[in-house]
Amino acid sequence: MVKAGNPAGLKAAEDVCGRRFGEVKGSFSVLPKLQEVCRKAGRSNPEVSSFEDIPSMQLALVSGRIDTYVGSDFNVVWDKSQGKPVDSVALPEAGTLVLGWTVPKGNDGLRDAVLGALRELQKDGYYAEAFARWGVSDNRLDPGVNIGAQGTGFDG
């Protein structure tokens, strides 16, 4: 995620090197991937600022205290719909961020109810329609698919 208009001119993960990068304390981090990209490019690591929560980090972004942070397409679409001055830049070199829903282990009833509802939405076409309406069709997975091992956070 970047400030609207991408004033830092980020186009690739290498462009984050030496820039002000934000992340939420205790959350998933792509920083090791970015540091690897920077090392291979012979550039300095991003300057990291840690935040207590996403709203604080978003405020830092739009006020110019950081240049970027990793968010999802869903966040960008939602934030833009709420009038926030943000844009997105794809950085595939930084890895794949896989998002999903989790339910507590042993709560099979809740798991089955959520999965059943999503499958009904898929069956009547609303699932695909909603993803298309918000411009995030590339992120759509079939309900019940677990591809977490393919995400950056699960690399060995």
Side-chain angles (χ1 to χ4, degrees), residues 81-102:
S81 78
Q82 300 303 301
K84 292 184 182 173
V86 297
D87 282 320
S88 64
V89 175
L91 304 176
E93 313 91 337
T96 302
L97 182 61
V98 177
L99 302 175
W101 292 355
T102 58

Side-chain angles (χ1 to χ4, degrees), residues 94-142:
T96 302
L97 182 61
V98 177
L99 302 175
W101 292 355
T102 58
V103 295
K105 281 186 177 182
N107 198 335
D108 296 350
L110 177 60
R111 178 202 64 207
D112 294 345
V114 169
L115 182 56
L118 288 171
R119 287 191 172 143
E120 284 298 313
L121 291 173
Q122 183 182 34
K123 189 166 64 174
D124 74 9
Y126 182 79
Y127 189 76
E129 176 189 319
F131 275 81
R133 181 175 351 117
W134 289 98
V136 291
S137 291
D138 290 346
N139 299 83
R140 191 178 80 231
L141 297 174
D142 288 333

Side-chain angles (χ1 to χ4, degrees), residues 16-107:
V16 179
C17 302
R19 298 285 186 165
R20 298 166 300 168
F21 177 75
E23 59 181 23
V24 174
K25 294 176 187 176
S27 69
F28 172 77
S29 176
V30 298
L31 186 59
K33 284 282 189 186
L34 289 173
Q35 290 170 329
E36 182 182 324
V37 166
C38 296
R39 182 184 51 75
K40 288 179 180 176
R43 300 182 64 188
S44 60
N45 285 330
E47 298 173 24
V48 179
S49 294
S50 297
F51 297 89
E52 295 296 325
D53 52 41
I54 291 173
S56 299
M57 187 168 57
Q58 289 173 330
L59 179 59
L61 177 72
V62 299
S63 67
R65 290 184 289 136
I66 60 173
D67 297 308
T68 186
Y69 70 87
V70 173
S72 74
D73 294 344
F74 299 106
N75 292 103
V76 174
V77 169
W78 174 254
D79 288 346
K80 284 179 134 184
S81 78
Q82 300 303 301
K84 292 184 182 173
V86 297
D87 282 320
S88 64
V89 175
L91 304 176
E93 313 91 337
T96 302
L97 182 61
V98 177
L99 302 175
W101 292 355
T102 58
V103 295
K105 281 186 177 182
N107 198 335

